[in-house]
Amino acid sequence: MRNELIKTTIEDHVAVVTLDNPPVNAQSRETMEELIEVFDELNETKGVRCIVLTATGKVFSAGADIKGRAKMAQEAQAGDTYRHLRRAREVGFVIMESNIPVIAAVNGPALGAGMGLAIMSDFIVASTKASFGLPEIDVGLMGGVRHTMRVFPIGLTRRMVLTGWRVPAEELYRRGLIEACVEPEELMDTAMDFARNIASKSPTATRKAKRALNTVETMGLKDGYRFEQNLTVEMTQHEDSREAMRAFIEKRPPVFSDEVS
């Protein structure tokens, strides 16, 4: 991994991926490309069972690099616009489609595309200093509506899009839309507690669970349940399933393999 604009450490089966593009972790072309690379590599890194996505400084991510976009527009060549749109799509979907669960630990404002990174994660924990917003209407851009509607109620999404309101993390926690809202000094400990819990599970079971979560979201009830049942059949054929059952009966912690299937 490059470890330039995105810093990555791995310990105890947990990868911590940190946005490090000061001062506000804006998403330049270089940042997006490196973030895509990191998640692609972690997908195939043996032993990684959970990912925590966070950022340095006081801002999680202010979203699109407006200065960079203006310069890109001035120097644009044929095809540049669509290459940028493809990067912008993939930087979100590479998180959502990760085989490994992703927890967003949001330390400060997460705006526009920055909020997109957070809501494409499996769930969010946030600092009391964090806020979430879609300011595109105020900076001559559009975007983020469909992703936000997956996670937030329609009325709240419309208010954010049409007014640019930055929702405090405490408000999202009150509404049950994020999993924790803690003091800044407690943020990473809280995220790591969640991550270590996930990392204690069977990697094979976790990947199948993530596959189920991503797939059944857009399926009908019966088809979705049948899909899950088929994954259950697959799981029971794996040694980790037998180990989990033995450990339960023997009242001991299970020992799982990092060999996934």
Side-chain angles (χ1 to χ4, degrees):
M1 297 177 190
R2 285 196 252 167
N3 275 313
E4 294 173 359
L5 298 171
I6 310 294
K7 302 296 194 298
T8 305
T9 61
I10 301 172
E11 186 175 350
D12 296 332
H13 298 293
V14 177
V16 178
V17 176
T18 305
L19 307 177
D20 189 18
N21 184 23
V24 294
N25 297 309
Q27 292 182 46
S28 63
R29 181 189 70 188
E30 294 78 13
T31 300
M32 290 190 286
E33 289 176 350
E34 189 173 347
L35 192 62
I36 291 169
E37 288 177 15
V38 166
F39 274 86
D40 282 341
E41 289 184 46
L42 288 175
N43 248 339
E44 296 186 341
T45 299
K46 186 175 180 179
V48 174
R49 300 183 182 182
C50 190
I51 299 169
V52 174
L53 175 63
T54 191
T56 59
K58 297 181 179 181
V59 177
F60 178 75
S61 174
D65 180 3
I66 302 299
K67 292 180 181 178
R69 285 180 69 104
K71 182 179 179 182
M72 184 173 66
Q74 293 174 352
E75 302 173 356
Q77 299 180 11
D80 281 353
T81 296
Y82 291 96
R83 279 187 283 271
H84 172 75
L85 294 177
R86 186 175 300 109
R87 277 193 300 270
R89 287 195 300 272
E90 288 308 309
V91 78
F93 282 112
V94 78
I95 296 171
M96 182 179 178
E97 294 172 355
S98 169
N99 294 324
I100 302 165
V102 182
I103 301 168
V106 181
N107 55 302
L111 307 176
M115 188 178 108
L117 299 181
I119 62 177
M120 294 298 268
S121 303
D122 288 286
F123 60 88
I124 299 168
V125 298
S127 156
T128 54
K129 301 290 186 182
S131 58
F132 297 77
L134 296 171
E136 283 88 347
I137 199 164
D138 294 324
V139 292
L141 298 173
M142 291 285 110
V145 174
R146 187 64 192 92
H147 285 315
T148 305
M149 280 185 175
R150 283 184 53 250
V151 181
F152 293 175
I154 292 176
L156 176 59
T157 300
R158 288 175 178 270
R159 179 180 175 186
M160 294 172 72
V161 170
L162 296 173
T163 70
W165 182 42
R166 298 186 184 187
V167 189
E170 294 99 323
E171 173 67 11
L172 294 181
Y173 182 65
R174 185 186 70 80
R175 292 174 179 239
L177 300 176
I178 62 177
E179 296 309 302
C181 181
V182 298
E183 294 301 318
E185 61 271 17
E186 299 172 4
L187 177 64
M188 286 307 295
D189 285 343
T190 301
M192 292 302 292
D193 283 346
F194 280 116
R196 292 189 186 100
N197 186 311
I198 292 171
S200 72
K201 316 298 182 187
S202 159
T204 294
T206 300
R207 287 176 179 241
K208 291 187 187 302
K210 181 72 185 283
R211 182 178 165 200
L213 288 163
N214 282 350
T215 304
V216 303
E217 183 176 347
T218 56
M219 296 175 75
L221 176 61
K222 188 171 183 179
D223 287 341
Y225 188 45
R226 288 184 64 181
F227 181 84
E228 292 180 71
Q229 288 181 313
N230 289 336
L231 287 181
T232 298
V233 172
E234 288 182 23
M235 187 63 215
T236 57
Q237 296 170 357
H238 193 277
E239 174 58 28
D240 277 2
S241 176
R242 292 183 281 273
E243 167 60 11
M245 294 180 189
R246 286 194 300 266
F248 178 80
I249 293 169
E250 297 168 10
K251 296 182 172 56
R252 61 170 174 81
V255 178
F256 296 120
S257 168
D258 282 316
E259 298 297 330
V260 296
S261 64

